[in-house]
Amino acid sequence: MKLKQLESLLGDLQQFSNPKIELEQYPTGPHIASRLLYTAENSFGDVSNKVVADFGCGCGTLGAAAALLGAEQVLAFDIDTESLELASENAEELELDINFVQCDIRNLVWRGQIVDTVVMNPPFGTRKKGADMDFLCVALQVASQAVYSLHKTSTRDHVRRAALRDFNASIAEVLCELQFDVPQLYKFHKKKEVSIAVDLWRFVPKRNQGNGL
Amino acid sequence: MRLLTHNMLSSNIKGVTNGFPLGIEVEKVIEKQVDFNPDFLKNMFLKIEWKALVDASRSLGYAELPEEAPDSSLIHSEDFLRKFHHAILELHLEEGALVCPQTGRKFPVNKGIPNMLLHEDEV
């Protein structure tokens, strides 16, 4: 599938109608989502025929993109009931068969090495400090091959240090810098739209990961 | 919820040391056809906890999997792979619950989605 086609399909997905600010619910736009998955697949082969997990799936954009690019199975996790309903509708709309799980990612306990790749657009930690790092920590434990994640460019050094030193990453690489367009979703947003510089990261966990089960 | 998912989920209640595998309470099971991909299955076979899969598939009404973890030569048998495929990918618990093996606490499954959210006193 071509990048343009993927981006177009993702553009048809429904977004949050009543986003919850305390969960930092911002849709991952089709521009970023398509590029994240396209790179993961075409540069690294981390999507097709793999088990891909979308952490904090929200309306399901990244998971849908993974499925469209040939992931064998996609698991999508979110804490919020309404998001999961929306993501389910979106999956159905695109005739995708995605495995949804409702949970708080920070206390997910799993067994084994079933998940190959984790893709995520985690909360940036503007509401709950350190939320992005919590997500990254768990992602590096669950993924057996690679983690793709978005973090504010302003946090680049902090993210790299945390991944390599604390979360057992053997590789932490910024693939590119993107502009994340944040639409005027919440009442406190003064501007119609702002653009935040974000880094698209690829992390590789050290071997022999697992939660001890 | 597929058995692929069940094979990786564990009870996450604080203090539980023996949270896998989760028991299954069935209210509604459905089957969804999935394309057969032998290479994927051979790879997945190495990562699966076999007994958990056999027991889970029996809970869902499918008894075709061998009780004993088959030795790796069997994964070249198409007959075996098709049964494995059916159990791990095509059976869905649509309504019911997952049960913590240690505490008996039930995690509901609705519309195929398990709810693993914990109450405040379980975290």
Side-chain angles (χ1 to χ4, degrees), chain A residues 16 23-28 53-63 75-80 83-84 87 100-106 108 118-123 131 135-136 138-139 148 150:
Chain A
F16 300 107
L23 296 177
E24 288 190 55
Q25 291 183 334
Y26 294 94
T28 307
D54 178 357
F55 279 8
C57 69
C59 15
T61 314
L62 292 177
L75 291 108
F77 299 83
D78 204 278
I79 198 171
D80 180 45
S83 294
L84 288 166
F100 293 100
V101 177
Q102 184 167 17
C103 71
D104 183 334
I105 215 79
R106 293 164 306 166
L108 178 68
V118 172
V119 295
M120 61 186 189
N121 180 12
F135 269 69
L136 183 56
V138 179
Y148 293 83
L150 295 160

Side-chain angles (χ1 to χ4, degrees), chain B residues 107-123:
Chain B
F107 296 94
V109 178
N110 296 119
K111 295 188 196 166
I113 302 180
N115 183 344
M116 309 301 293
L117 289 177
L118 298 174
H119 308 134
E120 267 181 42
D121 58 339
E122 294 173 321
V123 176

Side-chain angles (χ1 to χ4, degrees), chain A residues 112-162:
Chain A
Q113 307 276 295
I114 289 180
V115 173
D116 296 305
T117 302
V118 172
V119 295
M120 61 186 189
N121 180 12
F124 285 157
T126 56
R127 288 284 144 171
K128 203 179 279 174
K129 195 160 152 48
D132 53 345
M133 290 295 112
D134 287 340
F135 269 69
L136 183 56
C137 177
V138 179
L140 278 165
Q141 292 173 339
V142 173
S144 52
Q145 308 292 330
V147 175
Y148 293 83
S149 185
L150 295 160
H151 299 270
K152 287 194 290 189
T153 301
S154 59
T155 63
R156 185 178 293 182
D157 289 339
H158 170 67
V159 171
R160 179 178 287 116
R161 206 178 321 127

